Amino acid sequence: MSEQKLEGEDLFESIAQDLSTKGYSICSNAIPESVLKPLMQEAQSQLNCFNRAGIGRQSQHVIDDTIRSDKIRWISDDTEAGSAWLNWTGELKQYLNRRLFIGLNYFESHFAHYGVGNFYKKHRDAFVGQGNRVLSVVTYLNEGWLEEDGGQLVIYDDADKEIERVLPQSGTLVIFLSEEFPHEVLPAQRERFSITGWFRTGSRT
Ligand code: OGA
Ligand code: MN
């Protein structure tokens, strides 16, 4: 975890280095306040428009309470908060494409809300040869999160050995290769907001 506060290109460079050396990156205080604060407000004020999250894509989409119990809302650039977030992730995408030649194209992201007791069991965001999610991006909108609040993101390596545990503290940014790292969200003991997104290659569908 990068402990000192990195901004702009220094942050992007540190993410690029982490991705090329270990395939994932975790940075605290990574999202600028001017992007984070409006997202926090929007997530809270739109909570009544969140929907139960499913698993699988398109025709395979099902809601399964035993795997995940959070609710989500997709982010668009129709609001100022959404467009500031999409601008910021757009800059990150451009930097990573130039630096790592990974051909990231489309970005999609949603808010997620975990009520007390909600979780997301161990899963991968993409499977080799299926879909085109390349990089997973997760950030959080919760101030003053404590260990006893639960809701940690646990990241495993390809052999299912635990490698990281992340508190969902506002501004912390987690980025990882979507196909390579199984991960889970432990049951939250307080209301938990996150944003999850994916950089993809290819087109929208
Ligand atoms: C996801 C996910 C992690 C988190 O939405 O796919 O793994 O910490 N989220 O919210
Ligand atoms: Mn996931």
Side-chain angles (χ1 to χ4, degrees), residues 23-35:
Y24 72 93
S25 179
I26 303 170
C27 302
S28 52
N29 299 309
I31 313 295
E33 282 292 300
S34 58
V35 177

Side-chain angles (χ1 to χ4, degrees), residues 120 123-125 136 176 183 196 198:
Y120 193 164
H123 64 280
R124 289 180 202 241
D125 287 346
S136 298
F176 55 92
H183 55 282
T196 306
W198 297 274

Side-chain angles (χ1 to χ4, degrees), residues 30-200:
I31 313 295
E33 282 292 300
S34 58
V35 177
L36 201 58
K37 279 273 148 62
L39 287 168
M40 291 165 96
Q41 280 158 10
E42 181 164 309
Q44 270 157 6
S45 68
Q46 308 232 318
L47 193 49
N48 55 347
C49 309
F50 281 46
N51 294 311
R52 277 302 311 278
I55 49 174
R57 294 182 55 193
Q58 289 157 4
S59 60
Q60 283 148 34
H61 187 95
V62 285
I63 289 178
D64 184 339
D65 291 315
T66 63
I67 296 179
R68 69 186 298 187
S69 49
D70 58 322
K71 288 184 168 176
I72 66 163
R73 180 173 167 85
W74 289 94
I75 298 177
S76 77
D77 61 6
D78 293 347
T79 63
E80 267 180 49
S83 90
W85 164 245
L86 294 172
N87 275 334
W88 192 82
T89 54
E91 281 169 25
L92 174 61
K93 177 177 80 175
Q94 202 175 48
Y95 191 91
L96 296 178
N97 277 341
R98 285 204 194 122
R99 178 70 168 62
L100 304 173
F101 307 105
I102 44 179
L104 305 175
N105 183 6
Y106 186 69
F107 181 71
E108 59 191 357
S109 61
H110 61 62
F111 293 112
H113 175 261
Y114 292 71
V116 172
N118 289 168
F119 56 82
Y120 193 164
K121 289 270 169 68
K122 195 199 280 184
H123 64 280
R124 289 180 202 241
D125 287 346
F127 293 92
V128 179
Q130 280 180 27
N132 45 18
R133 288 175 169 176
V134 178
L135 270 188
S136 298
V137 178
V138 188
T139 193
Y140 302 103
L141 307 172
N142 314 291
E143 277 167 0
W145 197 274
L146 304 172
E147 206 65 60
E148 61 257 38
D149 295 329
Q152 292 91 345
L153 170 67
V154 186
I155 304 176
Y156 300 87
D157 68 11
D158 215 28
D160 276 337
K161 182 174 155 288
E162 181 177 324
I163 47 175
E164 298 282 352
R165 235 166 224 245
V166 185
L167 287 185
Q169 175 62 28
S170 53
T172 296
L173 178 70
V174 182
I175 302 191
F176 55 92
L177 293 169
S178 302
E179 286 175 359
E180 288 193 15
F181 297 93
H183 55 282
E184 74 178 306
V185 178
L186 300 181
Q189 308 302 332
R190 61 173 259 207
E191 178 173 64
R192 175 194 198 269
F193 283 99
S194 58
I195 293 177
T196 306
W198 297 274
F199 287 117
R200 294 163 49 179

